[in-house]
Amino acid sequence: METFLKNAKSALISSADTYSCIHVVIGNEACDLDSAISAISYAYFLDKIKSDEFTLIVPVLGIPKADFNLRTEIVYLLNKFKLVGSDNLTFRDEIDLAALYASSRLRLSLVDHHVLSSTDEEFADCVVEVIDHRPKEQCEMEGAKMTIESVGSCSTLVAEKLIACKKFKFNSVIAGLLHATILVDTICLNPEAKKTTDKDINVLTRLEDFMPKVERKQIFSEIQTAKMDITGLTNLEILRKDLKVVTSNSFVIAMSSVPVHLETFLHRSKIDSDLLKFLALQKADAAVILTVAPSTDDCIERQLAIYSTNPSLRDKIDRALRVDTPGPVLDLTPIRSVPSADFIAYRQGNIAASRKAILPIVKTVIST
């Protein structure tokens, strides 16, 4: 795996012109653990089974290289399997998709998303495959092989394809990366989180056939600890750590997942002024902050806050999340202690509703 990553990066930099096709496997722009591991694993798989020596397979993480160290759980897991080093990885700001597209050499596989960002939507006709576990937001892409299924983790769908391919030889590294990611996405198969399907369980069990004996809870706990390690990060870095930006003709909403209790985060020094800076940097009109932190019963707690200096927009998002949406019932309880009137904050009783479930609600708000 390490050799593959190094060679792909090196070839992209020094000898890309010698390839007739550059096949990019790219995760979503939030680049959480599932997105990163799905991209790396599926690209590795495609490289091992390819028959065309003139095709270069490159996994791409959908963030700038400068943001990589903010993804502490990805850094930890790659470290664990001795794949550390951002110099071995390819990031979105290190590959010129437009130039590859102009030369008619670009091929795209999308993992952990199926809707191209506004900056990449011009490359839609280059998409040859989609693997995603999110609710479908758009019609089939013409000519692309689509695998969209509601399971706990995109890594489950990737692993299923790898296991089914007789040409591919599994090893403990690829199995370990996918196994750990599925555990994180399903909250260690916790039924209360309502993220686990039979397929997740079956694939996870199959992956363990290729691994030394593992302790699932220990793996999950180690990665959660790494994910929640925000030591030394500024408020702006924490907000960028797991960021999804939603745009419409009228508004831009920044949705940040933060790995600490909301009350702890909202009472950090300069949080109000830093959120103003954050909105300015993202050119956003509001921020929706979604927090995930461990609870006392080995599960998780979810909380959320809406921040905007535009009271009309703030109240519109608030109402949509509380009463107007036909989507998941979030079971929100107000949190009264907030830094200023620009905040609305809640405890979220429905811990199964992650950003993936809340995102369509916010999109509906700003499009109407």
Side-chain angles (χ1 to χ4, degrees), residues 13-25:
I13 294 172
S14 61
S15 57
D17 290 344
T18 65
Y19 291 91
S20 58
C21 173
I22 310 295
H23 188 157
V24 172
V25 183

Side-chain angles (χ1 to χ4, degrees), residues 175-183 204 207-208 211 214 216 219:
L177 291 170
L178 292 165
H179 180 274
T181 305
I182 295 169
L183 284 176
L204 194 77
L207 288 171
E208 290 173 352
M211 303 167 61
V214 294
R216 292 175 178 177
I219 293 171

